[in-house]
Coordinates of all heavy atoms in Angstrom, one line a residue:
M1 N 0.8 -1.2 0.0 CA 0.0 0.0 0.0 C 0.9 1.2 0.0 O 1.8 1.4 0.8 CB -0.9 0.0 1.2 CG -2.4 0.2 0.8 SD -3.5 -0.2 2.2 CE -3.0 1.1 3.3
K2 N 0.6 2.2 -0.9 CA 1.3 3.4 -0.9 C 0.8 4.4 0.0 O -0.4 4.5 0.2 CB 1.3 4.0 -2.4 CG 2.3 3.3 -3.3 CD 2.2 4.0 -4.6 CE 2.9 3.2 -5.7 NZ 2.7 3.8 -7.0
Q3 N 1.7 5.2 0.6 CA 1.2 6.3 1.4 C 1.9 7.6 0.9 O 2.9 7.5 0.2 CB 1.6 6.1 2.9 CG 0.8 4.9 3.5 CD 1.0 4.8 5.0 OE1 1.5 5.7 5.6 NE2 0.7 3.6 5.5
V4 N 1.3 8.7 1.3 CA 1.9 10.0 0.8 C 2.3 10.8 2.0 O 1.6 10.9 2.9 CB 0.9 10.7 -0.1 CG1 1.4 12.1 -0.4 CG2 0.6 10.0 -1.3
K5 N 3.5 11.3 1.9 CA 4.0 12.2 2.9 C 4.1 13.6 2.3 O 4.6 13.7 1.2 CB 5.3 11.8 3.5 CG 5.2 10.7 4.6 CD 6.4 10.8 5.5 CE 6.1 10.1 6.8 NZ 7.2 10.3 7.8
I6 N 3.8 14.6 3.1 CA 3.9 15.9 2.6 C 5.0 16.7 3.3 O 5.0 16.7 4.5 CB 2.6 16.7 2.7 CG1 1.4 16.0 1.9 CG2 2.7 18.2 2.3 CD1 0.1 16.7 2.2
Y7 N 6.0 17.1 2.6 CA 7.0 17.9 3.2 C 7.7 18.7 2.1 O 7.6 18.4 0.9 CB 8.0 17.1 4.0 CG 8.7 16.0 3.2 CD1 9.9 16.2 2.5 CD2 8.2 14.7 3.3 CE1 10.5 15.2 1.8 CE2 8.9 13.6 2.6 CZ 10.0 13.9 1.9 OH 10.6 12.9 1.2
C8 N 8.5 19.8 2.5 CA 9.2 20.6 1.6 C 10.2 19.8 0.8 O 11.1 19.2 1.5 CB 9.8 21.8 2.4 SG 10.9 22.8 1.3
P9 N 10.2 19.9 -0.5 CA 11.2 19.1 -1.2 C 12.6 19.7 -1.1 O 13.6 19.1 -1.5 CB 10.7 19.2 -2.7 CG 9.9 20.4 -2.7 CD 9.3 20.6 -1.3
K10 N 12.7 20.9 -0.5 CA 14.0 21.6 -0.4 C 14.6 21.4 1.0 O 15.8 21.3 1.1 CB 13.9 23.0 -0.8 CG 13.5 23.2 -2.3 CD 13.9 24.6 -2.8 CE 13.8 24.6 -4.3 NZ 12.5 24.5 -4.9
C11 N 13.8 21.5 2.0 CA 14.3 21.4 3.4 C 13.7 20.4 4.2 O 14.0 20.2 5.4 CB 14.3 22.8 4.1 SG 12.6 23.3 4.6
Q12 N 12.7 19.6 3.7 CA 12.0 18.6 4.4 C 11.1 19.1 5.5 O 10.8 18.3 6.4 CB 13.0 17.5 4.9 CG 13.5 16.6 3.8 CD 14.5 17.2 2.9 OE1 15.5 17.7 3.4 NE2 14.3 17.2 1.6
W13 N 10.8 20.3 5.5 CA 9.9 20.8 6.5 C 8.5 20.2 6.3 O 8.0 20.2 5.2 CB 9.8 22.4 6.5 CG 8.8 22.9 7.4 CD1 8.8 23.0 8.8 CD2 7.5 23.5 7.0 NE1 7.7 23.6 9.2 CE2 6.9 23.9 8.2 CE3 6.9 23.8 5.8 CZ2 5.6 24.6 8.2 CZ3 5.7 24.4 5.7 CH2 5.0 24.8 6.9
V14 N 7.9 19.8 7.4 CA 6.6 19.2 7.3 C 5.5 20.2 7.8 O 5.6 20.6 9.0 CB 6.5 17.9 8.2 CG1 5.1 17.3 8.1 CG2 7.5 16.9 7.7
P15 N 4.6 20.6 6.9 CA 3.6 21.5 7.4 C 2.6 20.8 8.3 O 2.2 19.7 8.0 CB 2.9 22.0 6.0 CG 3.2 20.9 5.1 CD 4.5 20.2 5.5
D16 N 2.2 21.5 9.3 CA 1.2 20.9 10.2 C -0.2 21.6 9.9 O -0.3 22.4 9.1 CB 1.5 21.0 11.7 CG 1.8 22.5 12.1 OD1 1.2 23.4 11.4 OD2 2.6 22.7 13.0
A17 N -1.2 21.1 10.6 CA -2.6 21.6 10.3 C -2.8 23.1 10.6 O -3.7 23.7 10.0 CB -3.6 20.8 11.2
S18 N -1.9 23.7 11.4 CA -2.1 25.1 11.7 C -1.3 26.0 10.7 O -1.4 27.2 10.9 CB -1.6 25.4 13.1 OG -0.2 25.1 13.2
A19 N -0.6 25.4 9.8 CA 0.2 26.2 8.8 C -0.8 26.9 7.9 O -1.8 26.4 7.5 CB 1.1 25.3 8.0
R20 N -0.5 28.2 7.6 CA -1.4 29.0 6.8 C -0.6 29.7 5.7 O 0.5 30.1 5.8 CB -2.0 30.1 7.6 CG -3.1 29.6 8.6 CD -4.3 29.0 7.9 NE -5.3 28.5 8.8 CZ -5.4 27.2 9.2 NH1 -4.4 26.4 8.8 NH2 -6.3 26.8 10.0
W21 N -1.2 29.7 4.5 CA -0.6 30.4 3.4 C -1.5 31.6 3.0 O -2.8 31.5 3.2 CB -0.5 29.5 2.2 CG 0.7 28.6 2.3 CD1 1.9 28.7 1.7 CD2 0.8 27.4 3.1 NE1 2.8 27.7 2.1 CE2 2.1 26.9 2.9 CE3 -0.1 26.7 3.9 CZ2 2.5 25.7 3.6 CZ3 0.3 25.6 4.6 CH2 1.6 25.1 4.4
L22 N -0.9 32.6 2.4 CA -1.7 33.8 2.0 C -1.9 33.8 0.5 O -1.0 33.6 -0.2 CB -1.0 35.1 2.5 CG -1.0 35.4 4.0 CD1 -0.2 36.6 4.3 CD2 -2.5 35.7 4.4
C23 N -3.1 34.1 0.1 CA -3.4 34.3 -1.3 C -3.2 35.8 -1.6 O -4.1 36.6 -1.5 CB -4.8 33.9 -1.6 SG -5.2 33.9 -3.4
E24 N -1.9 36.1 -1.9 CA -1.6 37.5 -2.3 C -0.8 37.5 -3.6 O 0.0 36.6 -3.8 CB -0.8 38.1 -1.1 CG -1.6 38.4 0.1 CD -0.8 39.1 1.2 OE1 0.4 38.8 1.3 OE2 -1.4 39.9 1.9
P25 N -1.0 38.5 -4.4 CA -1.9 39.6 -4.2 C -3.3 39.4 -4.6 O -4.1 40.4 -4.8 CB -1.2 40.7 -5.1 CG -0.7 39.9 -6.2 CD -0.3 38.6 -5.7
S26 N -3.8 38.2 -4.8 CA -5.1 38.0 -5.3 C -6.2 38.4 -4.4 O -6.9 39.4 -4.6 CB -5.3 36.5 -5.7 OG -4.5 36.2 -6.8
C27 N -6.4 37.7 -3.3 CA -7.6 38.0 -2.4 C -7.2 38.1 -1.0 O -8.0 38.5 -0.2 CB -8.7 37.0 -2.6 SG -8.4 35.4 -1.8
G28 N -6.0 37.8 -0.6 CA -5.6 37.9 0.8 C -6.1 36.8 1.7 O -5.9 36.9 2.9
C29 N -6.7 35.8 1.2 CA -7.2 34.7 2.0 C -6.1 34.0 2.7 O -5.0 33.8 2.1 CB -8.0 33.8 1.1 SG -8.7 32.4 2.0
S30 N -6.3 33.5 3.9 CA -5.3 32.7 4.6 C -5.9 31.3 4.9 O -7.0 31.2 5.5 CB -5.0 33.5 5.9 OG -4.5 32.6 6.9
W31 N -5.2 30.3 4.4 CA -5.7 29.0 4.6 C -4.6 28.0 4.5 O -3.5 28.3 4.1 CB -6.8 28.7 3.5 CG -6.2 28.2 2.2 CD1 -6.4 27.0 1.7 CD2 -5.5 29.0 1.2 NE1 -5.7 26.9 0.4 CE2 -5.2 28.1 0.1 CE3 -5.0 30.3 1.2 CZ2 -4.4 28.5 -1.0 CZ3 -4.3 30.7 0.1 CH2 -4.0 29.8 -1.0
N32 N -4.9 26.7 4.8 CA -3.9 25.6 4.7 C -4.0 25.1 3.2 O -5.0 24.4 2.9 CB -4.2 24.5 5.7 CG -3.1 23.5 5.7 OD1 -2.5 23.2 4.7 ND2 -2.9 22.9 6.8
T33 N -3.0 25.4 2.5 CA -3.0 25.1 1.0 C -3.0 23.6 0.8 O -3.4 23.1 -0.3 CB -1.8 25.7 0.3 OG1 -2.0 25.7 -1.1 CG2 -0.5 25.1 0.7
F34 N -2.6 22.7 1.7 CA -2.6 21.3 1.5 C -3.9 20.6 1.7 O -4.1 19.5 1.4 CB -1.5 20.6 2.3 CG -0.1 21.0 1.8 CD1 0.6 22.0 2.5 CD2 0.4 20.5 0.6 CE1 1.9 22.4 2.0 CE2 1.6 20.9 0.2 CZ 2.4 21.8 0.9
E35 N -4.8 21.4 2.3 CA -6.2 20.9 2.5 C -7.0 21.1 1.2 O -8.0 20.4 1.0 CB -6.9 21.6 3.6 CG -6.3 21.2 5.0 CD -7.0 21.9 6.1 OE1 -7.8 22.8 5.9 OE2 -6.7 21.5 7.3
T36 N -6.5 21.9 0.3 CA -7.2 22.2 -0.9 C -6.4 21.9 -2.2 O -6.8 22.3 -3.3 CB -7.7 23.6 -1.0 OG1 -6.5 24.5 -1.0 CG2 -8.6 24.0 0.2
C37 N -5.3 21.2 -2.0 CA -4.4 20.9 -3.1 C -3.9 22.2 -3.8 O -3.8 22.2 -5.1 CB -5.0 19.9 -4.1 SG -5.3 18.3 -3.4
G38 N -3.7 23.2 -3.1 CA -3.2 24.5 -3.6 C -4.2 25.4 -4.3 O -3.8 26.3 -5.0
V39 N -5.5 25.2 -4.0 CA -6.5 26.0 -4.5 C -7.0 27.0 -3.5 O -7.4 26.5 -2.4 CB -7.6 25.2 -5.2 CG1 -8.7 26.1 -5.7 CG2 -7.1 24.3 -6.3
C40 N -7.0 28.2 -3.7 CA -7.6 29.2 -2.8 C -9.1 29.0 -2.6 O -9.8 29.0 -3.6 CB -7.3 30.6 -3.2 SG -8.1 31.9 -2.2
P41 N -9.5 28.8 -1.4 CA -11.0 28.5 -1.2 C -11.9 29.7 -1.4 O -13.1 29.6 -1.5 CB -11.0 28.0 0.3 CG -9.8 28.7 0.9 CD -8.8 28.8 -0.1
R42 N -11.3 30.9 -1.4 CA -12.1 32.1 -1.6 C -12.2 32.5 -3.0 O -13.3 32.7 -3.5 CB -11.5 33.3 -0.8 CG -12.4 34.5 -0.8 CD -11.8 35.7 0.0 NE -11.7 35.4 1.4 CZ -11.1 36.2 2.3 NH1 -10.5 37.3 1.8 NH2 -11.0 35.9 3.5
C43 N -11.1 32.6 -3.7 CA -11.1 33.1 -5.1 C -10.9 32.0 -6.1 O -11.1 32.2 -7.3 CB -10.2 34.3 -5.3 SG -8.4 33.8 -5.4
G44 N -10.5 30.8 -5.7 CA -10.4 29.7 -6.6 C -9.1 29.7 -7.4 O -8.9 28.9 -8.3
R45 N -8.2 30.6 -7.0 CA -6.9 30.6 -7.7 C -6.1 29.3 -7.4 O -6.0 28.9 -6.3 CB -6.0 31.8 -7.3 CG -4.6 31.7 -7.9 CD -3.9 33.0 -7.6 NE -2.5 32.8 -8.1 CZ -1.6 33.7 -8.1 NH1 -1.9 35.0 -7.8 NH2 -0.3 33.5 -8.6
N46 N -5.6 28.7 -8.5 CA -4.8 27.5 -8.4 C -3.3 27.8 -8.3 O -2.7 28.3 -9.2 CB -5.1 26.6 -9.6 CG -4.5 25.2 -9.4 OD1 -3.8 25.0 -8.5 ND2 -4.8 24.3 -10.3
W47 N -2.8 27.6 -7.1 CA -1.4 27.9 -6.8 C -0.5 26.7 -7.2 O -0.5 25.7 -6.5 CB -1.2 28.3 -5.4 CG -1.7 29.6 -5.0 CD1 -3.0 29.9 -4.7 CD2 -1.0 30.9 -4.9 NE1 -3.2 31.2 -4.5 CE2 -2.0 31.9 -4.6 CE3 0.3 31.2 -5.1 CZ2 -1.6 33.2 -4.4 CZ3 0.7 32.6 -4.9 CH2 -0.3 33.5 -4.6
E48 N 0.1 26.9 -8.4 CA 0.9 25.7 -8.9 C 2.2 25.6 -8.1 O 2.8 24.6 -8.0 CB 1.2 25.9 -10.4 CG 0.0 25.7 -11.2 CD 0.3 25.8 -12.7 OE1 1.5 25.9 -13.1 OE2 -0.7 25.8 -13.5
D49 N 2.7 26.7 -7.5 CA 3.9 26.7 -6.7 C 3.5 27.0 -5.3 O 2.6 27.8 -5.0 CB 4.9 27.7 -7.2 CG 5.5 27.4 -8.5 OD1 5.5 26.2 -8.8 OD2 5.9 28.3 -9.3
T50 N 4.2 26.4 -4.3 CA 3.9 26.6 -2.9 C 5.2 27.0 -2.2 O 6.2 26.4 -2.4 CB 3.3 25.3 -2.3 OG1 2.1 25.0 -2.9 CG2 3.1 25.5 -0.8
Q51 N 5.0 28.1 -1.4 CA 6.2 28.6 -0.7 C 6.4 27.9 0.6 O 5.4 27.7 1.4 CB 6.1 30.1 -0.5 CG 7.4 30.7 0.1 CD 7.3 32.2 0.4 OE1 6.2 32.7 0.6 NE2 8.5 32.8 0.4
C52 N 7.6 27.5 0.9 CA 7.8 26.8 2.2 C 7.8 27.9 3.3 O 8.5 28.9 3.2 CB 9.2 26.1 2.2 SG 9.7 25.4 3.7
L53 N 7.1 27.6 4.4 CA 7.1 28.6 5.5 C 8.4 28.5 6.4 O 8.6 29.4 7.2 CB 5.9 28.3 6.4 CG 4.5 28.4 5.7 CD1 3.4 28.2 6.8 CD2 4.4 29.7 4.9
A54 N 9.2 27.5 6.1 CA 10.4 27.4 6.9 C 11.6 28.0 6.2 O 12.3 28.8 6.7 CB 10.7 25.9 7.2
C55 N 11.8 27.5 4.9 CA 13.0 28.0 4.2 C 12.6 29.1 3.2 O 13.5 29.7 2.5 CB 13.7 26.9 3.5 SG 12.8 26.2 2.1
H56 N 11.3 29.4 3.0 CA 10.8 30.5 2.2 C 11.1 30.3 0.7 O 11.1 31.3 0.0 CB 11.3 31.8 2.7 CG 10.8 32.1 4.1 ND1 11.7 32.3 5.1 CD2 9.6 32.1 4.7 CE1 11.0 32.5 6.3 NE2 9.8 32.4 6.0
R57 N 11.4 29.1 0.3 CA 11.7 28.9 -1.2 C 10.4 28.3 -1.8 O 9.6 27.6 -1.1 CB 12.9 27.9 -1.3 CG 14.2 28.7 -1.1 CD 15.4 27.8 -1.3 NE 15.5 26.8 -0.2 CZ 16.5 26.0 0.0 NH1 17.5 26.0 -0.9 NH2 16.6 25.2 1.0
W58 N 10.3 28.5 -3.1 CA 9.1 28.1 -3.8 C 9.4 26.8 -4.5 O 10.4 26.6 -5.1 CB 8.7 29.1 -4.8 CG 8.1 30.4 -4.3 CD1 8.9 31.5 -3.8 CD2 6.8 30.7 -4.0 NE1 8.0 32.4 -3.3 CE2 6.7 32.0 -3.5 CE3 5.5 30.1 -4.3 CZ2 5.5 32.7 -3.1 CZ3 4.4 30.7 -3.9 CH2 4.4 32.0 -3.4
S59 N 8.4 25.9 -4.4 CA 8.5 24.6 -5.1 C 7.1 24.3 -5.7 O 6.1 24.7 -5.2 CB 8.8 23.5 -4.1 OG 10.0 23.8 -3.4
P60 N 7.1 23.6 -6.8 CA 5.8 23.2 -7.4 C 5.0 22.4 -6.3 O 5.6 21.6 -5.6 CB 6.2 22.2 -8.6 CG 7.6 22.7 -8.9 CD 8.2 23.1 -7.6
H61 N 3.7 22.7 -6.3 CA 2.9 22.1 -5.3 C 3.0 20.5 -5.3 O 3.0 19.9 -4.2 CB 1.4 22.5 -5.5 CG 0.5 22.1 -4.3 ND1 0.5 22.8 -3.1 CD2 -0.3 21.1 -4.1 CE1 -0.4 22.3 -2.3 NE2 -0.9 21.2 -2.9
A62 N 3.0 20.0 -6.5 CA 3.1 18.5 -6.6 C 4.4 17.9 -6.0 O 4.4 16.8 -5.6 CB 3.0 18.1 -8.1
D63 N 5.4 18.7 -6.0 CA 6.7 18.2 -5.5 C 6.7 18.0 -4.0 O 7.6 17.4 -3.4 CB 7.8 19.2 -5.8 CG 8.3 19.0 -7.3 OD1 7.6 18.2 -8.0 OD2 9.2 19.7 -7.7
W64 N 5.7 18.6 -3.3 CA 5.6 18.4 -1.9 C 5.0 17.0 -1.5 O 5.2 16.6 -0.3 CB 4.6 19.5 -1.3 CG 5.2 20.9 -1.2 CD1 5.5 21.7 -2.3 CD2 5.6 21.6 -0.1 NE1 6.1 22.8 -1.8 CE2 6.2 22.8 -0.5 CE3 5.6 21.3 1.3 CZ2 6.6 23.8 0.5 CZ3 6.0 22.2 2.2 CH2 6.6 23.4 1.8
Y65 N 4.5 16.3 -2.4 CA 3.9 15.0 -2.1 C 4.9 13.9 -2.5 O 5.4 13.9 -3.6 CB 2.6 14.8 -2.9 CG 1.5 15.8 -2.6 CD1 1.5 17.1 -3.2 CD2 0.5 15.5 -1.7 CE1 0.5 18.0 -2.9 CE2 -0.5 16.4 -1.3 CZ -0.5 17.7 -1.9 OH -1.4 18.6 -1.6
H66 N 5.2 13.2 -1.5 CA 6.2 12.1 -1.6 C 5.6 10.8 -1.3 O 5.2 10.5 -0.2 CB 7.4 12.4 -0.7 CG 8.0 13.7 -0.9 ND1 9.1 14.0 -1.7 CD2 7.6 14.9 -0.4 CE1 9.3 15.3 -1.7 NE2 8.5 15.9 -0.9
E67 N 5.5 10.0 -2.3 CA 5.0 8.6 -2.1 C 6.0 7.7 -1.5 O 7.2 7.8 -1.9 CB 4.5 8.0 -3.5 CG 3.1 8.4 -3.9 CD 2.7 7.7 -5.1 OE1 3.4 6.9 -5.6 OE2 1.5 7.9 -5.5
F68 N 5.6 6.9 -0.6 CA 6.5 5.9 -0.1 C 5.8 4.6 0.2 O 4.6 4.6 0.4 CB 7.3 6.4 1.1 CG 6.5 6.5 2.4 CD1 6.6 5.5 3.3 CD2 5.6 7.5 2.6 CE1 5.8 5.5 4.5 CE2 4.8 7.5 3.7 CZ 4.9 6.5 4.7
I69 N 6.5 3.6 0.2 CA 5.9 2.3 0.5 C 6.4 1.8 1.8 O 7.6 1.6 2.0 CB 6.2 1.3 -0.6 CG1 5.8 1.8 -2.0 CG2 5.6 -0.1 -0.3 CD1 6.3 1.0 -3.2
P70 N 5.5 1.7 2.8 CA 6.0 1.3 4.1 C 6.4 -0.2 4.1 O 6.0 -1.0 3.3 CB 4.7 1.5 5.0 CG 3.6 1.5 4.0 CD 4.1 2.0 2.7
D71 N 7.3 -0.5 5.0 CA 7.9 -1.8 5.0 C 6.7 -2.8 5.2 O 6.0 -2.7 6.2 CB 8.9 -2.0 6.1 CG 10.2 -1.2 5.8 OD1 10.4 -1.0 4.6 OD2 10.9 -0.9 6.8
E72 N 6.6 -3.7 4.3 CA 5.6 -4.8 4.5 C 6.1 -5.8 5.5 O 7.3 -6.1 5.6 CB 5.4 -5.5 3.1 CG 4.6 -4.6 2.2 CD 4.4 -5.3 0.9 OE1 4.3 -6.5 0.9 OE2 4.2 -4.6 -0.2
Q73 N 5.2 -6.2 6.3 CA 5.5 -7.3 7.2 C 5.9 -8.5 6.5 O 5.0 -9.1 5.8 CB 4.4 -7.5 8.2 CG 4.3 -6.4 9.3 CD 3.4 -6.8 10.4 OE1 2.6 -7.7 10.2 NE2 3.6 -6.2 11.6
Q74 N 7.1 -8.9 6.6 CA 7.5 -10.1 5.9 C 7.1 -11.3 6.7 O 7.4 -11.5 7.9 CB 9.0 -10.0 5.7 CG 9.4 -8.9 4.9 CD 10.3 -9.3 3.7 OE1 11.0 -10.3 3.8 NE2 10.3 -8.6 2.6
Q75 N 6.5 -12.2 6.0 CA 6.1 -13.5 6.6 C 7.2 -14.5 6.5 O 7.7 -14.7 5.4 CB 4.8 -14.1 6.0 CG 3.6 -13.2 6.5 CD 2.3 -13.9 6.1 OE1 2.3 -14.7 5.2 NE2 1.3 -13.7 6.9
M76 N 7.6 -15.0 7.6 CA 8.7 -16.0 7.5 C 8.2 -17.2 6.8 O 7.1 -17.8 7.1 CB 9.1 -16.4 8.9 CG 9.8 -15.3 9.7 SD 11.4 -14.8 9.0 CE 12.4 -16.2 9.6
P77 N 8.9 -17.6 5.8 CA 8.5 -18.8 5.0 C 8.6 -20.1 5.9 O 9.6 -20.2 6.7 CB 9.4 -18.9 3.9 CG 10.6 -18.1 4.3 CD 10.1 -17.1 5.2
K78 N 7.6 -20.9 5.9 CA 7.6 -22.1 6.7 C 8.5 -23.1 6.0 O 8.4 -23.4 4.9 CB 6.2 -22.7 6.8 CG 5.4 -22.1 7.9 CD 4.1 -22.8 8.1 CE 3.2 -22.2 9.2 NZ 1.9 -22.8 9.2
T79 N 9.5 -23.6 6.8 CA 10.3 -24.7 6.3 C 9.8 -26.0 6.9 O 9.8 -26.2 8.1 CB 11.8 -24.4 6.7 OG1 11.8 -24.1 8.1 CG2 12.4 -23.2 5.9
E80 N 9.4 -26.8 6.0 CA 8.9 -28.1 6.4 C 9.9 -29.2 6.1 O 10.3 -29.3 5.0 CB 7.6 -28.4 5.8 CG 6.5 -27.5 6.4 CD 5.1 -27.9 5.8 OE1 4.9 -29.1 5.5 OE2 4.3 -27.0 5.7
L81 N 10.2 -30.0 7.1 CA 11.1 -31.1 6.8 C 10.2 -32.3 6.4 O 9.3 -32.7 7.1 CB 11.8 -31.5 8.1 CG 12.8 -30.4 8.6 CD1 13.4 -30.8 9.9 CD2 13.9 -30.3 7.5
A82 N 10.5 -32.8 5.2 CA 9.7 -33.9 4.7 C 10.6 -35.1 4.4 O 11.7 -34.9 4.0 CB 8.9 -33.4 3.5
G83 N 9.9 -36.2 4.4 CA 10.6 -37.4 4.0 C 11.7 -37.8 4.9 O 12.7 -38.4 4.4
A84 N 11.5 -37.6 6.2 CA 12.6 -38.0 7.1 C 12.4 -39.4 7.7 O 13.1 -39.8 8.5 CB 12.7 -37.0 8.3
T85 N 11.4 -40.0 7.1 CA 11.1 -41.4 7.6 C 12.0 -42.4 6.9 O 12.3 -42.3 5.8 CB 9.6 -41.8 7.4 OG1 9.3 -41.6 6.1 CG2 8.7 -40.9 8.3
G86 N 12.4 -43.3 7.6 CA 13.3 -44.2 7.0 C 13.1 -45.6 7.5 O 13.7 -46.5 7.3
Ligands
LIG1 ZN1 11.6 24.4 2.9
LIG2 ZN1 -7.6 33.8 -3.2

């Protein structure tokens, strides 16, 4: 199963639920851009680039999503001894 982690592709900063971005100079709305995939909920502007609140550099919004595959629980193969009768 794939999971997605969201963090800054430049500094690995992880935005939390209280992080806010400003839609400026469009409408000045303040919201969490990762709850709307980079779309301003007020004016509908689609922000293709997202600025990191930690390092203040811009990265494409899609680059913030990092797919990873968690370690699958490996089942130990059963070793059966057969044909030991003699
Ligand atoms: Zn950053
Ligand atoms: Zn806006």
Side-chain angles (χ1 to χ4, degrees):
M1 233 167 65
K2 281 185 192 169
Q3 293 185 21
V4 173
K5 276 206 164 189
I6 298 175
Y7 56 85
C8 172
K10 297 201 164 65
C11 76
Q12 283 77 51
W13 172 74
V14 178
D16 57 26
S18 64
R20 289 291 180 271
W21 283 258
L22 285 175
C23 185
E24 283 182 334
S26 291
C27 76
C29 179
S30 158
W31 86 109
N32 186 329
T33 192
F34 290 103
E35 289 178 353
T36 61
C37 294
V39 178
C40 172
R42 187 183 292 172
C43 72
R45 173 171 172 173
N46 189 351
W47 288 80
E48 292 184 5
D49 293 333
T50 296
Q51 186 181 27
C52 175
L53 301 186
C55 69
H56 301 121
R57 283 180 287 186
W58 291 84
S59 306
H61 191 79
D63 283 4
W64 285 70
Y65 297 85
H66 305 266
E67 276 188 358
F68 74 101
I69 301 167
D71 289 339
E72 286 179 28
Q73 281 196 337
Q74 296 233 335
Q75 286 191 334
M76 293 292 286
K78 274 186 183 174
T79 49
E80 290 186 29
L81 295 173
T85 53

